[in-house]
Each structure stands twice: as structure tokens, then as C-alpha cells.
DNA sequence: AAGAACGTTTTA
DNA sequence: TAAAACGTTCTT
């Protein structure tokens, strides 16, 4: 399906002879290969209450079947990778919903509460009560430290520590090469965002070869102005606003 | 504020 | 390892 749009930004006679080095497609192959089921706008615009929390806790068969690593082995995903991945975005939704429902706790759920709710509870037990939920929390922990600041939580001056995985928290990540700054701490190490791949500039196939970015590519290190993703043009932080709905579902930020 | 330059990250 | 390009800082 060739939906690529080649909006002639400027009159672009040079497009015909774009340099061989210049990609003749709107996106990096990795972006084109993206398996995102939804566009970014989907996640921004879709009201989260429509999402079934249970479905998030227990992935659908289709989700479970999806191989964690499609083809060749890749590096372990960093936090933002998880957020940007389809599952990551679902995790974000899940986190928000869980917080609203009061389910997202850092400490294991009390078993006393889980018990004594009647015989039928046993059936529920296997599908998401505290007993089974705790492992999920443990498995989910890796996104939690990143989740909280994104969702508007403070992490106690950086001394937040997971009770579920102990010393493997942030320190483990740092050991794996994830610098604190790349975890969202700001500064020059902030992790790169990716192009949405769907806006008009992203769909544009060729560099104009005329704009300052094209002409000054060697020094400027910038993509053609007419191919600059609309999402990337916006200052980062929009996600925080979305997730910051937190308690009341209304955010006064911005 | 906009653009240029550079550092850095990410990918092939 | 090089190329592409995002993020930040500097300059105008």
C-alpha cells in the first residue's frame, strides 16, 4: 500500500536527483517495520476508561503469542522503548487505570483482603487477584520507576527503591548502560524520540535538498525541514500531561 | 524566537 | 563503525 505522501514542500526540482545517501523513503526501515497497532494520535485521543484493566493484566492470546523479539536479537529495551512499544503504551494505560482503581501499589497486596470473599473468589483468584497479581507487579517493575515521574509522581529524591526486585532497580539498569539522564532525568542525555511515521512530513519521501537542513546536513545533523516530524517539532512532555490525569482525570498542566 | 552548530543516541 | 537525525546550547 503506497500511502506515502510526497507533498512538494518547496518547489523541488532537485528531488529527482536526490543523493544516493538520502533515503528515498519517508522513514527508516525500522520505523516502517513498526508493528504499532495504533498511531500515536490514537493513544493521545483514545479515552483510557475504554480500556479493560483485566485485559491489560492478562494479555490476550494474541498478545501472548506475539514473539518478544520478532526476528534477530536486539539489545534489551530501555524504558522509553517500553513506553513507545505497543505493549509499553498499553502498560501506560494500565498504570493509569490501576492508579485510578487504587490497584497499583508498590508493596505486595495484603492476602487478608483477598481471602474470605466467598468461594467464587477462587475462580477469580487464578485470573488476577493479589496472589497472581504480585508476580505481575514484579514483572512490571521495570517500568514503574519510569512510570511514576511520567505520571506525575515524585520519587523521593531519587531514593526510590523497589521492594520487589531490591537492588536490581535503577542500579541494575545503570549497570546495563542506561544512564540516569536517559531515564528521563533531563539534560543532554535525554533519550531521543522517534518519528511518528504518520504525519505529512514523515510521509514525505524525499529531501528537498534546498532547505537549510538539507544544505547544511554535514554540520546541522538535521533532517530536511519538510520531513521533520510534526510530533518531534513539539516540545517533549505531552505524554506527562496525558498520564498526569492521575487522580481526577483532569490535568491543569499547560 | 529562529536558526546554526554540536553532542549524543540509534540503527544498519 | 558510519550515517542519520534528535536534543541541547549557542548565536544572531
Amino acid at each position: 500500500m503506497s500511502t506515502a505522501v510526497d507533498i512538494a514542500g518547496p518547489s523541488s526540482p532537485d528531488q529527482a536527483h536526490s543523493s544516493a545517501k538520502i533515503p528515498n523513503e519517508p522513514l527508516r526501515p525500522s520505523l516502517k517495520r513498526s508493528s504499532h497497532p495504533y498511531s500515536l494520535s490514537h493513544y493521545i485521543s483514545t479515552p483510557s476508561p475504554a480500556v479493560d484493566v483485566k485485559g491489560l493484566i492478562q494479555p490476550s492470546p494474541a498478545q501472548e503469542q506475539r514473539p518478544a523479539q520478532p526476528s534477530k536479537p536486539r539489545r534489551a529495551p530501555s524504558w522509553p522503548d517500553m513506553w513507545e512499544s505497543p505493549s509499553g503504551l498499553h502498560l501506560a494505560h494500565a498504570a493509569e487505570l490501576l492508579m485510578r482503581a487504587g490497584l497499583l501499589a508498590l508493596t505486595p497486596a495484603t492476602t487478608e483482603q483477598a481471602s474470605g470473599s466467598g468461594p467464587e473468589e477462587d475462580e477469580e483468584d487464578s485470573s488476577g487477584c493479589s496472589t497472581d497479581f504480585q508476580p505481575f507487579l514484579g514483572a512490571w517493575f521495570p517500568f514503574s520507576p519510569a512510570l511514576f515521574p511520567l505520571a506525575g509522581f515524585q520519587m523521593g529524591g531519587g531514593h526510590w527503591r523497589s521492594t520487589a526486585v531490591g537492588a536490581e532497580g535503577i542500579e541494575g539498569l545503570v549497570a546495563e548502560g542506561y544512564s540516569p539522564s536517559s531515564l528521563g532525568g533531563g539534560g543532554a542525555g535525554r533519550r531521543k524520540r522517534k518519528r511518528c511515521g504518520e504525519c505529512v512530513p514523515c510521509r514525505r519521501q524525499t529531501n528537498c535538498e534546498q532547505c537549510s537542513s538539507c544544505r547544511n546536513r554535514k554540520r546541522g545533523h538535521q533532517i530536511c525541514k519538510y520531513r521533520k516530524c510534526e510530533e518531534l517539532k513539539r516540545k517533549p512532555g505531552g505524554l506527562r500531561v496525558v498520564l498526569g490525569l492521575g487522580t481526577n482525570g483532569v490535568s491543569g498542566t499547560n
Side-chain angles (χ1 to χ4, degrees):
Chain A
M1 82 174 104
S2 57
T3 57
V5 178
D6 191 359
I7 305 295
S11 56
S12 47
D14 290 347
Q15 286 185 2
H17 59 275
S18 295
S19 163
K21 284 291 180 73
I22 302 202
N24 200 21
E25 50 189 19
L27 307 169
R28 297 179 189 172
S30 60
L31 253 179
K32 287 184 67 177
R33 270 189 275 111
S34 173
S35 57
H36 286 210
Y38 307 114
S39 67
L40 175 60
S41 57
H42 169 90
Y43 292 102
I44 293 175
S45 62
T46 301
S48 49
V51 180
D52 177 20
V53 177
K54 222 169 185 178
L56 290 166
I57 295 172
Q58 289 212 314
S60 66
Q63 286 174 307
E64 289 183 326
Q65 285 176 6
R66 184 187 310 180
Q69 296 178 347
S71 53
K72 56 183 175 182
R74 302 176 62 134
R75 60 170 177 77
S78 58
W79 299 129
D81 276 340
M82 298 185 67
W83 285 99
E84 290 170 5
S85 69
S87 57
L89 284 164
H90 281 102
L91 288 174
H93 258 137
E96 180 189 347
L97 289 164
L98 289 173
M99 283 186 291
R100 287 184 182 184
L103 286 174
L104 185 60
L106 297 181
T107 53
T110 54
T111 52
E112 287 83 0
Q113 284 188 334
S115 64
S117 295
E120 291 185 359
E121 195 71 34
D122 286 336
E123 281 192 20
E124 289 289 322
D125 202 16
S126 62
S127 63
C129 90
S130 61
T131 313
D132 283 345
F133 191 50
Q134 182 185 349
F136 276 108
L137 279 180
W140 282 6
F141 165 73
F143 78 81
S144 298
L147 164 66
F148 291 158
L150 280 170
F153 283 104
Q154 296 292 328
M155 284 168 56
H159 289 94
W160 193 90
R161 181 69 65 86
S162 164
T163 56
V165 293
E168 293 219 3
I170 293 291
E171 293 170 12
L173 286 166
V174 172
E176 284 184 38
Y178 301 100
S179 67
S181 56
S182 69
L183 291 175
R190 191 186 301 261
R191 197 173 184 277
K192 288 185 175 183
R193 293 176 294 166
K194 290 182 179 178
R195 307 172 71 192
C196 72
E198 299 193 351
C199 63
V200 170
C202 280
R203 292 188 176 205
R204 187 178 161 87
Q205 288 188 319
T206 56
N207 295 323
C208 71
E209 297 299 323
Q210 295 178 336
C211 69
S212 57
S213 296
C214 286
R215 289 180 305 192
N216 197 25
R217 178 162 288 113
K218 276 287 185 288
R219 303 181 88 171
H221 301 171
Q222 290 294 316
I223 192 172
C224 172
K225 284 183 177 180
Y226 298 97
R227 295 180 63 204
K228 182 72 174 183
C229 175
E230 295 289 352
E231 289 295 331
L232 295 181
K233 286 178 185 174
R234 300 168 57 181
K235 288 289 182 186
L239 184 59
R240 171 190 289 245
V241 174
V242 173
L243 294 177
L245 296 175
T247 53
N248 294 332
V250 175
S251 171
T253 314
N254 273 0

